[in-house]
Amino acid sequence: MSGVLFQVFVYLCAAVVAVPVAKRLGLGSVLGYLIAGIAIGPVLGIVGAETEQLQHFAEFGVVLMLFLVGLELKPQLLWQMRARLLGLGGLQVLASAGAIAALGWLLLGHWQTAVAVGLLLALSSTAIVLQTLTEKGLMGTEGGRAGFSVLLFQDVAMIPMLALIPVLAVPELSEIAQHAAGEAGHGAAGQGARHGEAGAGAGLSLVDGLSGWSYAAVVLGAVAAVVLGGHFLTRPLFRFIASSRLRETFTAAALLLVVGIALLMTLVDLSPALGTFLAGVVLADSEFRHELESDIEPFKGLLLGLFFITVGAGIDFGVLFGQLFTVLALTVGLMTIKGGILFGLGRLFRLRAADHWLFTLSLAQAGEFGFVLLAFSTQNAVIPPELGKLLSLVIALSMLLTPVLFIGYDRLVLPRLRSAPDQPPDTIDEQGAVIIAGAGRFGQVVNRLLMAAGVRTVVLDHEAANVERMRQIGIRSFFGDASRPDLLQAAGIERAAAFVVAIDDRDRAVDLAEYLKREYPDLCIVARAFDVDHLYLLRTAGADVALREVFDASLEAGAATLRAVGQHPFEVEKLKRAFRRHDLDTLDELYELWDQDLAFSKNRALLERVRARTAAELEITAADRSRLHDRTERGWTPPPKGYTKELDV
């Protein structure tokens, strides 16, 4: 018992120490877990033999992850992805497997082994890629969605791969494997007879020995059971469990659902991750979706973290240093081949520059399912054991390098793409009284209001996707960098009355406001600020009006909440106006104390004034609530019921 507790303590300690440090250094949590595994495994030797068994258990984190991903995807959205799911995913698997197999045939001699190597190395790491994309907020980008389509197709492609591998058995390897198995079986015959009954359940399957048609029928029945059961049975089940008002019971039911589906998929030789993903998609419209997410998320995070640690701990440094050049050459060669194919597919499917590079770099590695196929190929005499050890290192090392590629994408690729757009700006043939820089959610609302008032506008945006979206709804806008003088001249900056800065980059917004005020001092500059600090930077840069994008929405949300808890709408409106008035008044006072070069937490004078403002808000708004109506408040809502009785007295 103490040994087990010690191992648990070691793994948890490694995660708690390494991951926050890695996050602080900008390396990401995945690389932190991998480094932690390397530290406690090959470097310090604290963990060892149990790592491989633990890895199989931790792979269940991938199953939970795909269930959660499915919960975010409604069936109609999945149907919209069908072109990329089949086209992009199918071409990636076929092209990568074909290229690697062709090279492997030249190096290995046996075409069967080469095909198996091509298949297992064509797969990418669902765990690392989805975790990193989610962590960096990139799942909603075109590159993130394209990458997810490929990963999902790869999970489906594992099914025919598992069926194909036994057919690829190499005769020479089969004879060696049978000879070794015969010796092992002769030595363990008595023990096997004693424990054969106990082990009978280990390989439990519903499809062993079935004909092709029967196997297909059982598989389709299992998939139908997941889809129909998820749609019709889970809702009444979760309603019944929710009525008990015991959170731990609901958590147990959520885990039971995922484990049960994974078990069913395993019994019919399908991917457990695929089954749970389908269940998640079916439950995407369920009223219990958020509860399921919140209950399963902690287990997913812990198991995935444990999986990444076991990958790092499982690296055999003896084999690595013994064949260092070979391992590095194979790893770099693998990632180069897959990266080149992915880059070409990105061009074929017209991914834009940033999304194109994200798609290429994120999927260039081998994946955790490669370990599964590698072990299966070795057992079926398709890949020699010595080659299996080498390929295992290549898979692990490529996974270890993937977070480094994401860091390179953030720090090297994105800055260059932002400074050098991949397509020339549009020719601007319109001029307007107002120029709007940014066609995102903020700029769109401003533009709609101005157009409704009959004001002529020119909208510029450096994100082609935003421009295309505006054009699809019939609003003309232009692709280009709003800080370029030639584009501003073409848009009529000399005669414009106002300029709206609504771009999503904080620093570029400040630079643009400063440039406009310097070059066009009479131009009214209205700027969107992300927060108070950004608002002050914009005011310092010369913006005439700077507005926080979330302040009004937050104020309205607070007012709606007050009405929901029973406060009268009139009192809520008075409180909201008093709060807004007090906030605007104190913004100018705080601006006098604000120091651009001093962090908020270290500006003591500003901190004291903010504390005083918070205390004063309670007193001022309370006093405002007790005042009678004034002229500005008349007519917005009927007076409270029964107020005439007080007047008659």
Side-chain angles (χ1 to χ4, degrees), residues 116-310:
V117 171
L119 292 175
L120 66 91
L121 293 182
L123 304 178
S124 303
S125 176
T126 302
I128 289 181
V129 176
L130 290 188
Q131 176 77 3
T132 308
L133 289 176
T134 303
E135 189 176 294
K136 293 180 177 292
L138 297 172
M139 275 296 291
T141 63
E142 284 296 309
R145 287 194 289 266
F148 171 73
S149 299
V150 171
L151 290 170
L152 184 56
F153 183 87
Q154 289 177 357
D155 291 340
V156 177
M158 265 197 66
I159 301 168
M161 288 181 186
L162 288 169
L164 178 62
I165 283 175
V167 181
L168 299 175
V170 180
E172 295 87 348
L173 296 177
S174 298
E175 293 176 2
I176 297 173
Q178 288 173 1
H179 180 70
E183 291 183 353
H186 179 73
Q191 185 176 358
R194 288 190 300 269
H195 298 287
E197 191 174 321
L204 185 62
S205 173
L206 298 179
V207 294
D208 281 350
L210 294 181
S211 63
W213 287 106
S214 301
Y215 173 77
V218 172
V219 168
L220 290 176
V223 173
V226 171
V227 174
L228 297 177
H231 186 74
F232 293 106
L233 300 180
T234 55
R235 285 173 172 82
L237 173 63
F238 283 127
R239 289 194 193 101
F240 173 74
I241 294 173
S243 64
S244 67
R245 301 185 180 277
L246 293 174
R247 181 63 183 269
E248 62 273 18
T249 306
F250 196 94
T251 302
L255 289 173
L256 174 65
L257 174 67
V258 177
V259 172
I261 292 171
L263 176 61
L264 175 62
M265 294 295 104
T266 304
L267 292 177
V268 296
D269 291 349
L270 291 181
S271 167
L274 174 62
T276 53
F277 172 77
L278 288 176
V281 172
V282 173
L283 292 170
D285 291 321
S286 170
E287 63 270 29
F288 298 102
R289 178 169 67 90
H290 297 295
E291 287 84 355
L292 289 169
E293 286 178 342
S294 61
D295 285 341
I296 290 178
E297 181 68 34
F299 296 97
K300 183 267 294 184
L302 282 173
L303 288 173
L304 277 182
L306 180 61
F307 172 75
F308 297 138
I309 291 177
T310 58

Side-chain angles (χ1 to χ4, degrees), residues 322-635:
Q323 305 182 60
L324 182 61
F325 178 77
T326 303
V327 173
L328 290 178
L330 289 175
T331 303
V332 173
L334 166 68
M335 301 185 78
T336 302
I337 292 173
K338 292 186 71 173
I341 291 171
L342 290 164
F343 191 85
L345 291 175
R347 288 284 188 192
L348 181 63
F349 282 78
R350 298 181 181 179
L351 294 178
R352 298 196 55 79
D355 297 307
H356 192 182
W357 279 105
L358 175 63
F359 173 70
T360 300
L361 296 175
S362 64
L363 298 175
Q365 77 293 124
E368 59 278 352
F369 291 129
F371 291 121
V372 177
L373 290 176
L374 182 58
F376 191 61
S377 300
T378 305
Q379 293 168 4
N380 285 273
V382 181
I383 294 178
E386 296 77 13
L387 179 60
K389 293 180 181 179
L390 191 64
L391 291 177
S392 179
L393 273 176
V394 171
I395 295 172
L397 193 58
S398 69
M399 292 171 68
L400 182 63
L401 291 175
T402 301
V404 179
L405 294 182
F406 274 105
I407 294 172
Y409 171 79
D410 287 336
R411 299 184 181 180
L412 299 177
V413 176
L414 279 183
R416 292 190 178 186
L417 292 176
R418 286 170 179 164
S419 61
D422 66 326
Q423 74 177 50
D426 292 334
T427 300
I428 301 176
D429 54 5
E430 292 184 4
Q431 295 188 348
V434 177
I435 300 173
I436 301 175
R441 58 187 186 277
F442 190 91
Q444 287 182 31
V445 174
V446 173
N447 186 56
R448 285 164 53 196
L449 179 61
L450 293 174
M451 290 177 60
V455 178
R456 192 175 183 84
T457 63
V458 176
V459 181
L460 301 172
D461 199 295
H462 70 289
E463 291 286 345
N466 289 340
V467 174
E468 183 62 28
R469 193 179 302 115
M470 294 281 281
R471 290 172 178 171
Q472 287 176 352
I473 60 176
I475 300 176
R476 192 174 185 192
S477 56
F478 300 93
F479 173 75
D481 187 351
S483 63
R484 287 181 50 171
D486 57 331
L487 295 184
L488 294 178
Q489 292 289 337
I493 188 69
E494 298 283 357
R495 291 176 293 278
F499 194 105
V500 179
V501 181
I503 57 181
D504 290 331
D505 190 308
R506 299 167 65 101
D507 296 332
R508 288 182 66 244
V510 173
D511 294 341
L512 180 57
E514 188 175 11
Y515 167 78
L516 292 172
K517 183 54 67 175
R518 182 177 66 250
E519 299 295 327
Y520 309 99
D522 296 330
L523 182 69
C524 178
I525 302 171
V526 180
R528 180 269 299 273
F530 290 92
D531 49 36
V532 174
D533 192 59
H534 191 222
L535 181 142
Y536 289 156
L537 287 172
L538 288 168
R539 287 178 59 172
T540 304
D544 298 286
V545 180
L547 301 169
R548 291 160 289 171
E549 66 170 347
V550 298
F551 179 77
D552 286 319
S554 302
L555 201 57
E556 289 297 333
T561 306
L562 287 174
R563 289 192 292 270
V565 298
Q567 293 206 16
H568 193 279
F570 178 77
E571 297 298 333
V572 172
E573 185 68 18
K574 286 197 67 175
L575 178 60
K576 188 176 70 175
R577 293 185 181 187
F579 188 90
R580 184 196 303 276
R581 194 162 52 244
H582 178 65
D583 181 82
L584 294 176
D585 290 343
T586 55
L587 271 179
D588 293 330
E589 298 178 26
L590 296 176
Y591 182 56
E592 299 298 326
L593 300 173
W594 175 76
D595 188 344
Q596 180 177 348
D597 300 321
L598 188 62
F600 177 80
S601 59
K602 296 182 179 179
N603 192 331
R604 295 189 176 182
L606 183 61
L607 284 171
E608 290 296 329
R609 186 64 191 90
V610 171
R611 293 191 188 101
R613 182 186 72 168
T614 304
E617 282 173 352
L618 300 177
E619 299 178 6
I620 293 173
T621 53
D624 249 58
R625 286 201 302 265
S626 64
R627 292 176 186 169
L628 298 175
H629 294 216
D630 58 31
R631 292 181 180 179
T632 64
E633 295 166 343
R634 289 178 184 169

Side-chain angles (χ1 to χ4, degrees), residues 75-92:
Q76 55 267 36
L77 182 59
L78 195 61
W79 176 252
Q80 293 172 6
M81 295 169 55
R82 66 189 183 280
R84 284 186 175 174
L85 184 63
L86 298 175
L88 193 57
L91 288 174
Q92 185 276 327

Side-chain angles (χ1 to χ4, degrees), residues 1-17:
M1 182 65 179
S2 59
V4 174
L5 291 177
F6 175 74
Q7 296 295 338
V8 171
F9 174 79
V10 168
Y11 281 102
L12 291 177
C13 185
V16 169
V17 172

